[in-house]
Amino acid sequence: MAHATPASPSAAALVDGFSLEMTGKDIAGLEEARDTIPQGTKVNVTFLGNEDLEMRVAAAKAVKEMGFIPVPHLSARRLRSQDELEQFLGRLQEVGATEHVFAVGGDPAEPEGPYPDALTVIRSGVLQKFGVREVSIAGYPEGHPDIPADVLWRHLDEKALTLAQEGLDAVVLTQFAFDTDPVMTWIGQVRDRGIDAQIRIGTPGPAGIKRLLGFARRFGIGANAMIVKKYGFSLTNLMGTAGPDRFVSDLAERLTSAPQPAGASMDTAAAGTGATSAYGDVKLHFYTFGGLLATSQWAREFVAAQAHGARR
């Protein structure tokens, strides 16, 4: 496991309140990690093509019963009908897991039903019927391999506006990144567009280097030699594990030292604390490529290292 290095107070504040991601197959992993995850942590439950409704609902139920906040994914392009969407939300509501959801387009090249994108799901009016109060929407600091940048921005604007009009809270949750440069540029652009929702920056949890690079290639994330060296490992040495220590510390420093972006209102700036005050409410979302336990242990050790440093 990658060991946490001492953090600055702002970096510890950035890590505090993190969220995690799991699949329907990860209930045992969540049970293993439960004592290292703070109660009330948001845990996203993915909507994978090789898992069924019962697996997804069982995972969301386990998250809830262990004292965490389930955030089930709604993969628009995988939904075959409105009935399927309502059945899924109905089952989630039975286990108390519909207050927070993540609406995302999903992987299929062709929609399997009436929802070509997350915006269509949001506009359907179905979510509110099942007690949804907050909707996470996707952000792409490094773009999307199959969607033009102007389309990504237009949909982000429209989703944020629609959620506000419908009285639903919004969270912008991003794809994972290795490089703080495009992340910082993108956060500034989001705020310049007047979107003041909480932003959760996707961050790879500690994992094997080969595994990290495999996911980067799969999702079209930039991972050239210069970027991964900046992140903390080399393409010429793929053995061992890598953690997000350097990425998180650099992101926190840049968030707190950069001037407030033009689009950030005083209220937005005041909403954040510690590492997040300059750019509004910015937190981390961990993709648990190395497992839930390794990721939650890393986060705990990272914050503890800062507290230890502050006492010296």
Side-chain angles (χ1 to χ4, degrees):
M1 175 183 164
H3 293 287
T5 56
S8 67
S10 59
L14 181 61
V15 173
D16 184 49
F18 65 85
S19 55
L20 296 165
E21 188 143 317
M22 66 177 285
T23 73
K25 299 182 179 74
D26 288 337
I27 295 175
L30 184 66
E31 179 68 42
E32 179 187 34
R34 66 185 301 176
D35 292 336
T36 65
I37 303 172
Q39 289 286 287
T41 294
K42 288 183 175 178
V43 180
N44 285 38
V45 180
T46 59
F47 193 113
L48 302 180
N50 60 356
E51 298 177 354
D52 60 22
L53 181 148
E54 293 307 320
M55 292 178 68
R56 297 167 190 143
V57 172
K61 180 181 179 182
V63 171
K64 178 81 171 182
E65 290 179 344
M66 291 186 207
F68 311 123
I69 298 173
V71 186
H73 289 201
L74 304 175
S75 182
R77 298 166 78 86
R78 292 192 187 281
L79 293 165
R80 292 185 291 269
S81 66
Q82 180 173 319
D83 285 344
E84 183 177 47
L85 172 60
E86 293 186 352
Q87 181 187 21
F88 184 37
L89 289 169
R91 292 284 286 109
L92 289 171
Q93 191 174 41
E94 290 174 6
V95 299
T98 55
E99 289 192 5
H100 308 264
V101 301
F102 175 42
V104 64
D107 295 332
E110 295 295 328
E112 298 176 12
Y115 305 111
D117 48 50
L119 182 60
T120 313
V121 172
I122 292 169
R123 285 176 169 166
S124 70
V126 173
L127 302 183
Q128 297 93 318
K129 297 178 182 178
F130 293 89
V132 173
R133 295 193 300 106
E134 178 187 270
V135 179
S136 295
I137 53 180
Y140 299 93
E142 296 188 49
H144 189 289
D146 301 318
I147 305 174
D150 62 322
V151 175
L152 290 175
W153 283 117
R154 184 174 73 250
H155 273 239
L156 184 63
D157 288 339
E158 292 178 357
K159 284 183 280 193
L161 178 60
T162 302
L163 289 171
Q165 290 173 338
E166 296 185 1
L168 295 171
D169 294 332
V171 173
V172 183
L173 189 153
T174 81
Q175 183 55 275
F176 72 91
F178 289 125
D179 187 359
T180 54
D181 287 341
V183 170
M184 285 299 301
T185 299
W186 179 86
I187 292 173
Q189 291 172 327
V190 171
R191 297 311 189 205
D192 287 344
R193 300 174 87 88
I195 298 172
D196 61 0
Q198 181 184 77
I199 294 174
R200 286 189 174 270
I201 299 299
T203 307
I209 294 170
K210 286 185 178 180
R211 186 172 178 83
L212 287 174
L213 293 176
F215 277 101
R217 285 191 294 268
R218 177 181 171 187
F219 293 110
I221 304 301
N224 62 44
M226 181 183 70
I227 290 173
V228 297
K229 182 178 180 181
K230 179 179 177 182
Y231 185 80
F233 61 90
S234 169
L235 291 177
T236 61
N237 182 10
L238 301 182
M239 302 302 292
T241 63
D245 308 61
R246 189 180 300 182
F247 176 86
V248 171
S249 295
D250 183 52
L251 179 62
E253 181 179 355
R254 296 183 65 175
L255 284 168
T256 53
S257 63
Q260 182 176 316
S265 67
M266 291 301 292
D267 288 342
T268 300
T273 59
T276 63
S277 58
Y279 279 85
D281 192 359
V282 180
K283 291 293 184 184
L284 299 182
H285 175 75
F286 286 111
Y287 291 91
T288 55
F289 301 134
L292 288 155
L293 180 60
T295 301
S296 57
Q297 283 181 333
W298 178 91
R300 185 167 65 174
E301 291 172 9
F302 191 83
V303 173
Q306 183 276 321
H308 178 73
R311 288 195 296 269
R312 288 189 298 183

